């Protein structure tokens, strides 16, 4: 048994003390200035300990990852979907694929409740729930030839619960893809800088893919330098284009962007994974992590004060202007991806298990990527909490509540206890070269203001507008990488579903099948996106209110599948690792679903909202956000659809959990009746490190393998 040396003990003691100091200040400081650096310290200290100890315990003690076992990428390598991918490139792909709108937008909106509830859930949630789910799903999918989450549920839980899981997972995936695409369209519309820079990442990624596959196989460091250099050039050139006569060419209308996004999603879904998807996501990761790391460094250097209350009055009253509902359960639903996300389980059972070289890399890619995403969520919460609270609420409250003028907005926000003058609101918009910042809902502009606030203190106030627009473009890039991987995963899910009926679809690289299913997936989310762009209250806008709940319901499916597999594979004593997060997520999400369906508050309950608007129609009145009687009828339809969908999805998840519980109880009583769909053991011939940096033993093993050929 290996014992820790003195140096290791000292280092981890210091890490623990840094994290403990951060938590102590955040928890105990009241009525005094608190630096955002303490939030960063609490997060980084907790992440380090969680990864070093808890993740390692799960990987090696519970899952018992096996370095000698060949993964699907090695056994089924076909150069299209199955392809052994360098761990560094795959880490970049996986992180870019899971890190969509959620970790940027959710924490910004949750700041309405104060900075403390969000901080606690983002950090504790990711260590004990979100990162555990991602790693365990990735492990079990890798052991099953990269099966999708829904298909694993069907094979391991049974046809009844499995069918419910397949239907729920696919429906939720289409909703999530439509919402992600809408955020990209809103960010890039009329933004030549962002459109040009993001468009350039496609040819750069193609170059990187061919560089690694054909020109210089295995030279990841080289291609990284080339890709990052070209990416930085594209970012700088984007601003040049925006200020040149070419600006009109890259200033696209929302409808045009929809067409380009659907076409890109289709192409990225059918091309070999090494050619575009993996290198583009890897490239995007440099910008994502680089920006977040610089933001964290900026917080440490400038030590901005957290100006938002630790816990606001809205947390207990539940009448917040940003989103209605009390702290429990809605702050957990709103934060979503930064702590726990069902969407991640689709990626962990989609592209990644078909590309991973070694089971021992599951800890770094599954758990580590989720910690990286959680750090993004923490920085988003910091950005929202360091700006003037009055400005925060003026930006995130709808126009129907605060009006459309700075005078009106100032008066309303002051009434909530967060005073800000009309002059200050006007100056804030002028600082970032925007006509107005009022009612810039959705979270993205608030994050951009916070980012510009931090970076401008380092680089000078004259660059505030530059950093604001850079952050807006950065968010679009962040989200687009989740869209392309999500479309490919949606294709896998549909192929698995159809494969239960039409056998050729079982082969996910069967070309007619991949073209047909990719087209169907793109057509579905593309339709909702197209309607949503042309009708402010229709299409994907209709489904936007159930985005958070559906994502968390999907996490319940993933955790139910994980718990079932732990029990059936002889790991009953460790089932609490996913069982406790499942119980928490199910409690939170089903409570939220119940309230969204049956609440008497029209701001919360879908059916109550429908009743209020229907009564207004009968009286001939128009209520906001509707602007006409046609809009009123649309709101009634939307509320009805959202209420019914929420109820149906919640019922499907209850069916999945109940059936999973039945299977677990049956296994405990009569283990002989259980079967596992795990692929048979095949010895691996690949040598690859488990982490980013090879250990001494891994280096020696690699030298021993190479030595005979050099004699």
């Amino acid at each position: 048994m290996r014992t820790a040396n003195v140096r290791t003990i000292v280092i981890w003691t210091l890490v623990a003390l840094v994290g403990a100091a951060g938590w102590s200040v955040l928890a105990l400081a009241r009525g005094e200035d608190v630096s955002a650096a303490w939030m960063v310290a609490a997060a980084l200290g907790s992440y380090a300990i969680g990864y070093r100890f808890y993740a390692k315990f799960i990987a090696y003690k519970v899952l018992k990852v096996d370095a000698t076992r060949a993964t699907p990428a090695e056994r089924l390598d076909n150069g299209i979907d199955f392809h052994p991918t360098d761990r560094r490139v795959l880490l970049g792909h996986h992180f870019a694929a899971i890190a969509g709108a959620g970790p940027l937008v959710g924490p910004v909106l949750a700041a309405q409740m104060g900075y403390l509830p969000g901080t606690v859930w983002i950090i504790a949630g990711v260590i004990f729930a979100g990162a555990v789910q991602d790693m365990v799903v990735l492990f079990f999918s890798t052991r099953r030839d990269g099966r999708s989450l829904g298909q694993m549920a069907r094979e391991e839980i049974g046809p009844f619960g499995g069918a419910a899981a397949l239907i729920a997972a696919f429906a939720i995936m289409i909703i999530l893809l439509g919402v992600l695409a809408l955020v990209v369209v809103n960010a890039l519309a009329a933004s030549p800088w962002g459109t040009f820079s993001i468009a350039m990442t496609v040819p750069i990624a193609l170059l990187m893919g061919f560089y690694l596959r054909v020109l210089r196989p295995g030279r990841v460091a080289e291609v990284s330098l080339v890709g990052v250099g070209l990416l930085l050039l594209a970012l700088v050139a984007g601003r040049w284009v925006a200020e040149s006569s070419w600006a009109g060419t890259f200033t696209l209308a929302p409808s045009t962007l929809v067409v380009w996004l659907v076409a890109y999603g289709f192409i990225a879904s059918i091309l070999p994974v090494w050619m575009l998807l993996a290198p583009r996501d890897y490239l995007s990761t440099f910008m994502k992590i680089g920006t977040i790391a610089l933001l964290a460094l900026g917080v440490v250097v400038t030590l901005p004060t957290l100006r938002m209350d630790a816990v606001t009055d809205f947390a207990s009253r539940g009448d917040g202007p940003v989103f209605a509902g009390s702290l429990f359960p809605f702050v957990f639903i709103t934060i979503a991806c930064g702590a726990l996300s069902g969407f991640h389980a689709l990626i962990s059972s989609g592209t990644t298990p078909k590309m991973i070289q070694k089971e021992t890399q599951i800890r770094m890619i599954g758990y580590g990527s989720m910690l990286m995403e959680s750090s993004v969520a923490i920085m988003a919460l910091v950005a929202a909490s360091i700006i003037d609270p009055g400005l925060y609420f003026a930006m995130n409250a709808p126009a129907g509540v605060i009006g459309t003028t700075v005078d009106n907005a100032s008066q309303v926000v002051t009434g909530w206890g967060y005073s800000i003058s009309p002059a200050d609101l006007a100056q804030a918009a002028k600082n970032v070269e925007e006509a107005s910042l009022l009612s810039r809902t959705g979270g993205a502009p608030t994050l951009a203001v916070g980012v510009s606030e931090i970076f401008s203190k380092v680089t000078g106030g004259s660059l505030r507008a530059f950093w604001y627009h850079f952050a807006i473009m950065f968010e679009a890039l962040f989200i687009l990488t989740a869209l392309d991987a999500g479309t490919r995963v949606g294709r896998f899910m549909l192929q698995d579903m159809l494969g239960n009926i039409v056998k050729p679809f079982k082969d996910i690289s069967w070309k007619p099948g991949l073209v047909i299913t990719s087209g169907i997936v793109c057509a579905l989310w593309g339709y909702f996106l197209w309607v949503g762009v042309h009708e402010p209250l229709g299409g994907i806008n209709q489904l936007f209110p159930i985005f958070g709940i559906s994502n968390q319901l999907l996490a319940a499916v993933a955790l139910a599948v994980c718990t079932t597999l732990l029990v059936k594979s002889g790991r009953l004593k460790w089932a609490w690792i996913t069982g406790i997060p499942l119980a928490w997520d199910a409690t939170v999400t089903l409570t939220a679903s119940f309230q969204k369906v049956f609440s008497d508050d029209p701001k919360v309950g879908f059916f109550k909202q429908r009743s209020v608007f229907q009564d207004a129609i009968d009286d001939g009145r128009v209520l906001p956000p509707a602007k006409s009687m046609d809009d009123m009828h649309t709101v009634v339809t939307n509320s009805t659809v959202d209420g019914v969908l929420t109820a149906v999805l919640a019922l499907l998840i209850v069916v999945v959990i109940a059936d999973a519980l039945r299977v677990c109880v049956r296994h405990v009583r009569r283990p002989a009746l259980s079967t596992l769909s795990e692929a048979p053991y095949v010895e691996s011939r690949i040598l690859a490190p488990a982490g980013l940096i090879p250990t001494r033993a891994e280096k020696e093993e690699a030298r021993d393998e190479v030595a005979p050929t050099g004699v």
Side-chain angles (χ1 to χ4, degrees):
M1 182 177 176
R2 204 180 85 180
T3 56
N5 57 39
V6 175
R7 181 186 172 200
T8 301
I9 293 173
V10 170
I11 290 174
W12 286 105
T13 301
L14 290 175
V15 170
L17 289 173
V18 168
W23 281 117
S24 298
V25 172
L26 292 176
L28 301 177
R30 293 293 180 272
E32 56 188 279
D33 290 344
V34 177
S35 171
W38 290 115
M39 192 185 294
V40 175
L44 295 182
S46 300
Y47 294 154
I49 292 173
Y51 182 79
R52 170 61 180 81
F53 297 101
Y54 193 49
K56 189 173 183 179
F57 159 74
I58 294 174
Y60 291 96
K61 181 72 174 179
V62 179
L63 301 179
K64 297 182 179 178
V65 293
D66 186 353
T68 70
R69 188 186 187 107
T71 64
E74 180 179 356
R75 291 186 291 102
L76 307 175
D77 183 9
N78 60 12
I80 299 176
D81 296 309
F82 293 91
H83 176 65
T85 304
D86 185 279
R87 69 199 183 282
R88 293 161 291 187
V89 176
L90 187 56
L91 177 67
H93 158 72
H94 186 79
F95 168 69
I98 65 173
L104 294 170
V105 175
V108 171
L109 303 181
Q112 168 183 265
M113 302 294 192
Y115 65 78
L116 190 56
T119 301
V120 172
W121 173 236
I122 290 170
I123 298 174
V126 73
I127 291 172
F128 297 108
V132 173
Q133 171 207 259
D134 293 10
M135 178 170 66
V136 177
V137 169
L138 178 56
F139 171 79
F140 282 123
S141 180
T142 300
R143 284 281 177 99
R144 285 157 179 76
D145 291 341
R147 286 279 189 268
S148 69
L149 177 66
Q151 188 63 22
M152 283 198 294
R154 186 179 186 277
E155 292 174 354
E156 302 293 351
I157 296 177
F160 186 61
L166 279 168
I167 294 169
F170 187 71
I172 291 170
M173 174 58 102
I174 297 301
I175 294 172
L176 298 180
L177 289 174
V179 170
L180 291 173
L182 181 64
V183 177
V184 174
V185 169
N186 291 338
L188 295 185
S191 174
W193 180 14
T195 302
F196 174 84
S197 298
I198 288 175
M200 287 302 100
T201 62
V202 175
I204 295 172
L206 289 170
L207 171 64
M208 293 173 66
F210 280 99
Y211 194 102
L212 278 176
R213 178 82 171 187
V214 180
L215 300 178
R216 302 274 285 173
R219 304 288 184 173
V220 176
E222 286 181 18
V223 80
S224 299
L225 290 174
V226 171
V228 172
L230 291 174
L231 175 61
L232 294 175
L233 178 60
L235 293 175
V236 175
R239 197 178 192 198
W240 296 341
V241 167
E243 296 171 352
S244 72
S245 58
W246 284 32
T249 305
F250 292 93
T251 303
L252 304 180
S255 56
T256 306
L257 284 168
V258 171
V259 175
W260 279 110
L261 282 178
V262 172
Y264 170 74
F266 178 77
I267 292 169
S269 179
I270 63 175
L271 283 180
V273 71
W274 59 265
M275 188 181 296
L276 176 60
L277 190 69
R280 189 187 178 284
D281 289 351
Y282 177 61
L283 179 66
S284 301
T285 295
F286 280 101
M287 183 177 172
K288 293 179 176 183
I289 291 299
T291 301
I292 294 302
L294 288 175
L295 194 56
L297 184 61
V299 169
V300 174
V301 171
T302 61
L303 300 176
T305 300
L306 295 169
R307 303 177 69 181
M308 183 64 74
D309 296 333
V311 182
T312 68
D313 291 339
F314 297 123
S316 57
R317 296 206 310 258
D319 59 351
V322 179
F323 63 91
S326 56
L327 190 153
F328 179 87
F330 289 106
V331 75
F332 307 101
I333 300 297
T334 303
I335 286 174
C337 304
L340 173 65
S341 171
F343 177 75
H344 297 184
L346 302 182
I347 303 298
S348 292
S349 61
T351 52
T352 307
K354 300 174 181 65
M355 300 162 67
I356 195 166
Q357 292 174 314
K358 308 291 286 184
E359 281 190 3
T360 47
Q361 296 170 352
I362 284 171
R363 174 186 170 215
M364 176 187 70
I365 293 170
Y367 201 96
S369 291
M370 185 54 194
L371 291 183
M372 289 160 61
E373 174 160 1
S374 184
S375 69
V376 174
I378 282 292
M379 295 317 302
L381 185 58
V382 166
S385 300
I386 64 168
I387 66 175
D388 187 307
L391 176 60
Y392 168 85
F393 284 106
M395 291 184 68
N396 289 283
V401 175
I402 64 171
T404 57
T405 66
V406 291
D407 293 316
N408 245 6
S410 171
Q411 185 177 355
V412 173
V413 172
T414 300
W416 294 331
Y418 300 98
S419 61
I420 187 169
S421 69
D424 288 338
L425 288 173
Q427 186 60 47
K430 185 178 179 181
N431 288 342
V432 295
E433 298 179 8
E434 290 282 345
S436 172
L437 288 177
L438 299 183
S439 300
R440 298 295 298 273
T441 56
T446 305
L447 173 64
V449 169
V451 168
S452 68
E453 180 86 13
I454 294 170
F455 282 168
S456 64
K457 287 183 178 179
V458 178
T459 61
S462 60
L463 291 176
R464 188 186 294 266
F466 170 84
W467 290 122
Y468 174 85
H469 291 283
F470 169 83
I472 293 291
M473 184 207 60
F474 162 75
E475 291 176 81
L477 176 65
F478 222 100
I479 296 161
L480 187 58
T481 52
L483 182 66
D484 52 19
T487 301
R488 196 179 192 98
V489 172
R491 187 250 286 181
F492 293 152
M493 294 168 63
L494 186 56
Q495 286 175 288
D496 275 344
M497 290 172 66
L498 294 177
N500 293 317
I501 305 169
V502 183
K503 295 303 179 185
F505 281 100
K506 281 284 188 185
D507 178 4
I508 62 169
S509 298
W510 179 52
K511 290 184 179 179
L514 68 88
V515 171
I516 292 169
T517 50
S518 293
I520 293 173
V521 171
C522 289
L524 287 171
W525 67 257
Y527 166 77
F528 285 114
L529 178 62
W530 178 268
V531 176
V533 163
H534 290 83
E535 297 180 20
L537 297 176
I540 197 60
N541 297 302
Q542 180 185 63
L543 303 176
F544 199 94
I546 64 173
F547 171 79
I549 283 181
S550 61
N551 188 33
Q552 298 304 94
L553 286 172
L554 189 55
V557 173
L559 290 167
V561 171
C562 289
T563 305
T564 303
L565 283 169
L566 286 173
V567 172
K568 290 179 65 177
S569 61
R571 301 173 174 92
L572 175 61
K573 67 178 180 179
W574 304 121
W576 58 268
I577 289 170
T578 54
I580 292 176
L582 169 61
W584 169 256
D585 182 56
T587 301
V588 168
T589 314
L590 292 176
T591 300
S593 300
F594 183 86
Q595 292 186 19
K596 294 299 288 184
V597 174
F598 297 110
S599 174
D600 288 333
D601 183 350
K603 293 181 179 179
V604 177
F606 290 128
F607 289 142
K608 183 62 177 179
Q609 183 184 65
R610 180 199 181 283
S611 175
V612 168
F613 275 77
Q614 185 60 57
D615 290 344
I617 290 173
D618 295 340
D619 295 339
R621 294 179 290 117
V622 175
L623 304 177
K627 297 179 180 179
S628 65
M629 198 53 70
D630 285 342
D631 286 351
M632 292 288 290
H633 286 286
T634 301
V635 172
V636 169
T637 301
N638 290 357
S639 301
T640 305
V641 170
D642 288 340
V644 171
L645 271 178
T646 300
V648 169
L649 289 175
L651 182 60
L652 286 172
I653 271 56
V654 169
V655 168
V656 173
I657 294 173
D659 211 19
L661 180 61
R662 176 189 63 81
V663 171
C664 290
V665 171
R666 186 189 67 181
H667 175 81
V668 172
R669 290 177 174 175
R670 303 180 67 184
L673 295 178
S674 297
T675 58
L676 285 172
S677 58
E678 189 173 285
Y681 175 92
V682 174
E683 186 175 356
S684 175
R685 297 181 179 274
I686 292 177
L687 286 178
L692 281 178
I693 302 173
T695 64
R696 181 181 300 176
E698 288 170 339
K699 289 178 180 178
E700 290 174 355
E701 186 181 18
R703 280 196 296 268
D704 292 342
E705 180 72 14
V706 173
T709 62
V711 174

